[in-house]
Amino acid sequence: MGTLGNGLPDLPPEWGEVVIPDDPAELAEEAERVRDELRAEARAARRAAWRARWRRRLHLPERIDDPDQPSLVLPLIVLAIAVVITLLSLLLIAWPGLTGGTPDAPQPGPPVRPAVSAPAATSPTSSPGVSLPPTPHPPGT
């Protein structure tokens, strides 16, 4: 790299030929692209700072798989979730009226008489081979 006549060094050769337009509006598209890149870098830096802040608050290592600094946070979170689910299931089972309830027990119907065959009685009104069960008479008749 040489120097220009004004004492400033030349531009690096890998930059190629630099052309400065007469109208700055010609650079608007490139300027917008550069602004987008800068915004993306700033957004990534803010996210990284936010993550680092929470890692410090929760005493997490920089890398989760770091064998030199094992962390108990993940096992504790899993244990807390298991305890909450267990307590909720016990509450759901034990709390009366919280679920739909159990259906009422079926009411018993009329008593069932056992089928007993009696010897056929011969009477003029009954047909042969058919026996009718005795009918109860109301008291006092």
Side-chain angles (χ1 to χ4, degrees), residues 35-131:
R35 282 189 204 106
D36 288 342
E37 290 174 7
L38 291 175
R39 281 190 207 112
E41 288 176 9
R43 204 170 25 250
R46 281 193 306 268
R47 269 194 229 119
W50 184 81
R51 286 187 194 122
R53 187 177 323 123
W54 276 103
R55 283 187 179 281
R56 281 192 308 272
R57 286 179 185 170
L58 297 175
H59 302 288
L60 293 173
E62 287 297 318
R63 291 178 33 203
I64 292 178
D65 59 346
D66 190 4
D68 295 334
Q69 294 180 340
S71 176
L72 287 177
V73 173
L74 186 62
L76 289 177
I77 289 173
V78 170
L79 184 65
I81 290 172
V83 168
V84 167
I85 290 173
T86 304
L87 290 176
L88 284 176
S89 65
L90 287 174
L91 178 72
L92 185 68
I93 291 171
W95 197 279
L98 192 58
T99 59
T102 58
D104 295 334
Q107 297 296 325
V112 178
R113 294 186 193 168
V116 177
S117 62
T122 57
S123 68
T125 58
S126 66
S127 26
V130 176
S131 65

